[in-house]
Each structure stands twice: as C-alpha cells, then as structure tokens.
C-alpha cells in the first residue's frame, strides 16, 4: 500500500504531492498534538513543496492534517530530506492568552479559550485561519470538572492541554479540505474492556513493559498566591479536589506551589480592571494546585507489543478507548487502561503498531494498586 503525501499551502490550496515516502512514522495522541516524521528523495521540485508551515495530508486519512515544522537533509543518505511536524492542534501554539480568567466546566473553558483567542478575538489579526469553534457534540456542551482558571500570558495550546489534563476526555482537529475548515473536536473514547483484551496467553500481545514510579508523587498542595508576609494569600487542595485534604501519615505527600503570578485584580486590553471575590480567587489558586499535583502524579507507563493479526488499531480499538490487559508470563499483572498514544511505523503489511496507555486499574498478583 503506497501512501501519497498531499501538500497544501497556508491558504489550504493543494500545491502538489510527495511520493517515494520511506520511514514514515506517525504518532497519534489523545490529549496533545501527535507528530509525524518521514524521509524522501530531495529533488529540486520536492524541496519547493516541503515548506515549513505548509500542511501535509496523507492519502489514507484526509481528515488529519500535519504542520510541516522541520525540513533538513539526511545525515545518513545523500539527496534525501527528513521532514517532521505535528498535527493541526499545533496551530494553537501560535497564540497566547492575552487576558482571561475563565470559569465553568472543562469543555466550556476550552470553548471560550478557542473562541476568544483563535476564532473571534477582539483583534481580528489574531484569528487563526480556518479554525472553527470547539465541537462538543460528541459528548455534550457542559462536560468535565468545573474550575476557575487565570490564564493571562499562557500559551493557548499549553492552556488547552493543561485544562483537559488527565480526565477521561480527549480532543483532536478535524480537517475538511472541501469546506476549508479546521474544527477542534472534544470527545471521549469507548469502554471496550469486555471486547478488547491484550493478553500474552491469548497471543493478542507479544510483550509488555510496565513501570511505576512514585518518587515525585505528591497528593496535597499548599498554594501561595499574591501578597507579602502575613498578608500573603494561601489555599489548600488535595488530588481528590478536597480543600482540607484527606490524606494522613505516610499516605500524605505535600507540595508547595508558588503562584504569585495569579492576581485577584486583572486588567483587560482596554485598561478595565476587575477584582475577584475571595472565594473566586481561592478557586483560582486551587486550580493551579491541582495542575501541579497532576504534574507530580504517580508515573505509570504501559507499553504493549500488540499482535495486529488479532486486535487491529482503528478497527478493534482507537485513541481514548478503555481496554483490558493481562500479562501472565512476565510480571503477572492484569487491569484496565486508556489508549493515550499510538505510534505507527510504516504502512500496509509491514507496519508496526505501538500503543501507550494510561493505567486506570491494575492488580499485581492479589494486590490492587491505586
């Protein structure tokens, strides 16, 4: 199966295509931009198509586009170019959030960020071409945990990926070439724990790599905001969202968060000032604390070498889906996990698929790990 790489300029006009693609690697991700890399002969005509900022669309999936971000000659082969980039969620990295404090559910906060800083910003020069409002129809308009975030000065892509965090939801950007639209879509994977089991005894997987690291784990945050000395404002939060904290003894692992950048008084681009109530400011501090706790969570990594003859990506399971796994011969673990990343090397019969997972439940022998 030959893959054609169609090239579109910054106006989404087709300007040609690249063929003889080799060493194509695509990594699809649930909550952040995926990426691609490939090699191909670097003829004079091809070099003109490999412009950074152009969009590449592979013939086997025309709804997914990638920004070409790097082009360089191969160090190993003469007259060969190596190009790489990220999927279209990367366009949001081109904008910062100039001024915004946003409250509400996760999906609503993401909608407002995209609408005000990419689709319909007050300065029309800041609009991202072809980008539409966040489509929440796959799951609903008011989904995910509520929070209050102060985002002034933050990169828009970083804010979006931080907001979606480690919850059950993901997002993607759907490209419609005929309509010339780029639509961010908020969605959730499917529970396939009853139908998809990666198991070494059943031969649906060949090997299993599992790591669990608690060295950086913290579950209670003390967040210090504005003010000096005894007038400085503090808030507490634990990983469950409880202000007072529910962890004690050896189970309590504390983190200090310096959030002096979060201010109760904000000013918009027109100089209008707004002051939060003490309760709202406390919620802003607690949201920052939760973000930092997620950065210091237990690090679990599950990589399976899957057998595509039994369980096929994009047919039996896809990004965001919850599946079951069992490794009996190596380390004796069973559990459930969410598919958060899938790396695909090559195409056709020669392709290899390497998924990564967010572990949801796990049993080691008879012990259940939280």
């Amino acid at each position: 199966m030959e893959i054609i790489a169609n090239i579109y300029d910054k106006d989404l006009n087709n300007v040609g295509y690249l063929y003889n693609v080799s060493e194509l690697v695509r990594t699809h991700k649930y909550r952040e931009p995926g990426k691609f890399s490939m090699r191909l002969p670097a003829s004079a005509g091809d070099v003109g198509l490999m412009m950074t900022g152009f969009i590449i669309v592979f013939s086997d999936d025309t709804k997914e586009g990638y920004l070409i971000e790097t082009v360089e000659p191969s160090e190993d082969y003469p007259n060969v170019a190596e190009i790489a980039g990220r999927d279209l969620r990367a366009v949001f990295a081109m904008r910062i959030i100039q001024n915004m404090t946003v409250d509400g559910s996760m999906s609503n906060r993401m909608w407002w960020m995209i609408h005000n800083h990419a689709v319909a910003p007050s300065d029309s020069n800041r609009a991202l071409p072809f980008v539409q409002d966040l489509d929440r129809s796959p799951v609903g308009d008011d989904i995910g945990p509520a929070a209050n975030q102060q985002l002034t000065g933050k990169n828009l892509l970083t804010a979006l990926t931080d907001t979606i965090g480690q919850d059950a939801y993901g997002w993607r950007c759907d490209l419609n070439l005929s309509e010339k639209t780029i639509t961010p879509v908020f969605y959730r994977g499917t529970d396939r724990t009853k139908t998809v089991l990666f198991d070494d005894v059943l031969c649906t997987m060949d090997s299993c790599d599992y790591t669990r690291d608690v060295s950086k784990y913290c579950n209670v945050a003390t967040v210090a905001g504005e003010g000096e000395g005894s007038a400085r404002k503090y808030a507490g939060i634990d990983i469950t969202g409880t202000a007072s904290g529910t962890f004690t003894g050896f189970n309590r692992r504390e983190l200090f968060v310096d959030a002096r950048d979060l201010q109760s008084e904000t000013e918009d681009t027109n100089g209008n000032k707004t002051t939060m109530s003490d309760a709202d400011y406390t919620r802003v501090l607690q949201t920052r604390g939760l973000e930092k706790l997620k950065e210091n969570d237990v690090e679990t990594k599950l990589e399976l070498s899957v057998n595509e003859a039994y369980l096929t990506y994009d047919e039996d399971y896809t990004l965001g889906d919850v599946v079951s796994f069992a490794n009996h011969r190596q380390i004796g673990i069973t559990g459930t996990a969410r598919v958060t990343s899938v790396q695909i090397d090559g195409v056709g019969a020669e392709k290899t698929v390497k998924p990564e997972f967010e572990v949801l439940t796990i049993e080691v022998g008879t012990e259940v790990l939280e």
Side-chain angles (χ1 to χ4, degrees):
M1 176 183 178
E2 183 180 5
I3 295 291
I4 303 299
N6 294 288
I7 307 299
Y8 294 81
D9 64 17
K10 295 177 182 179
D11 294 317
L12 279 185
N13 296 315
N14 183 258
V15 293
Y17 65 92
L18 302 170
Y19 58 97
N20 292 329
V21 172
S22 64
E23 298 186 37
L24 174 61
V25 179
R26 285 175 284 182
T27 303
H28 308 284
K29 292 181 177 290
Y30 192 45
R31 301 187 182 100
E32 60 189 75
K35 56 187 178 181
F36 85 97
S37 63
M38 66 182 188
R39 284 177 170 170
L40 73 166
S43 66
D46 290 337
V47 169
L49 296 176
M50 293 184 287
M51 297 286 289
T52 53
F54 278 15
I55 293 172
I56 191 167
V57 180
F58 296 103
S59 56
D60 61 340
D61 187 359
T62 59
K63 289 180 66 176
E64 184 167 44
Y66 296 86
L67 285 178
I68 299 175
E69 295 183 303
T70 61
V71 181
E72 58 185 348
S74 171
E75 297 181 356
D76 304 317
Y77 304 98
N79 302 317
V80 170
E82 297 179 351
I83 64 176
R86 293 177 292 169
D87 73 43
L88 289 176
R89 284 172 289 185
V91 300
F92 295 103
M94 299 176 182
R95 296 292 182 267
I96 62 167
I97 297 177
Q98 290 186 336
N99 188 285
M100 175 174 274
T101 298
V102 62
D103 193 9
S105 68
M106 181 169 60
S107 61
N108 285 344
R109 282 178 281 136
M110 291 181 67
W111 190 95
W112 278 108
M113 285 184 229
I114 292 171
H115 181 78
N116 285 285
H117 295 90
V119 178
S122 57
D123 179 355
S124 60
N125 291 324
R126 302 186 66 236
L128 285 170
F130 315 114
V131 172
Q132 309 298 300
D133 280 323
L134 179 69
D135 179 4
R136 297 168 287 181
S137 61
V139 289
D141 289 343
D142 192 13
I143 299 297
N148 193 317
Q149 290 174 281
Q150 190 176 110
L151 300 166
T152 302
K154 201 165 190 176
N155 179 271
L156 178 55
L157 176 61
T158 301
L160 290 167
T161 54
D162 283 352
T163 298
I164 208 161
Q166 297 297 310
D167 209 88
Y169 301 91
W171 68 302
R172 64 179 187 268
C173 275
D174 285 351
L175 175 65
N176 186 318
L177 292 168
S178 60
E179 298 291 334
K180 289 192 174 183
T181 58
I182 298 171
T183 305
V185 179
F186 183 72
Y187 72 106
R188 182 175 184 167
T190 302
D191 186 343
R192 302 188 189 277
T193 53
K194 303 297 185 183
T195 58
V196 178
L197 171 60
F198 293 103
D199 188 299
D200 54 350
V201 173
L202 297 177
C203 299
T204 53
M205 74 175 178
D206 299 321
S207 63
C208 171
D209 292 325
Y210 169 72
T211 59
R212 178 181 173 87
D213 184 351
V214 299
S215 60
K216 298 179 181 178
Y217 173 56
C218 294
N219 52 28
V220 180
T222 297
V223 189
E226 65 185 4
E228 299 292 339
S230 60
R232 194 166 189 189
K233 297 181 179 179
Y234 291 86
I237 196 75
D238 74 13
I239 196 68
T240 70
T242 303
S244 59
T246 58
F247 297 90
T248 61
F250 286 141
N251 291 326
R252 185 181 181 94
R253 304 172 71 121
E254 298 178 341
L255 176 71
F256 177 80
V257 179
D258 188 342
R260 199 183 299 272
D261 61 300
L262 300 179
Q263 299 293 307
S264 60
E265 183 178 86
T266 59
E267 182 176 339
D268 63 22
T269 54
N270 296 319
N272 299 315
K273 295 182 178 181
T274 303
T275 301
M276 296 183 203
S277 66
D278 288 344
D280 283 344
Y281 185 65
T282 296
R283 291 179 62 200
V284 167
L285 294 178
Q286 289 173 331
T287 299
R288 175 66 63 82
L290 283 172
E291 290 174 358
K292 293 302 180 182
L293 286 174
K294 289 175 181 177
E295 293 175 7
N296 291 272
D297 203 353
V298 176
E299 293 185 11
T300 59
K301 190 172 184 180
L302 179 68
E303 294 183 5
L304 308 180
S305 175
V306 303
N307 190 332
E308 278 276 297
Y310 292 94
L311 293 172
T312 303
Y313 174 67
D314 251 356
E315 293 181 13
D316 298 300
Y317 69 98
T318 191
L319 275 181
D321 287 353
V322 179
V323 301
S324 299
F325 64 91
N327 179 274
H328 304 282
R329 296 177 175 139
Q330 290 175 292
I331 50 179
I333 59 174
T334 60
T336 61
R338 186 179 306 281
V339 184
T340 56
S341 174
V342 178
Q343 178 178 303
I344 301 176
D345 293 13
V347 296
E350 297 182 354
K351 77 175 181 181
T352 60
V353 177
K354 183 180 180 182
E356 290 187 1
F357 301 86
E358 172 187 82
V359 177
L360 302 178
T361 64
I362 188 166
E363 294 184 20
V364 180
T366 59
E367 181 183 3
V368 179
L369 300 181
E370 298 293 337

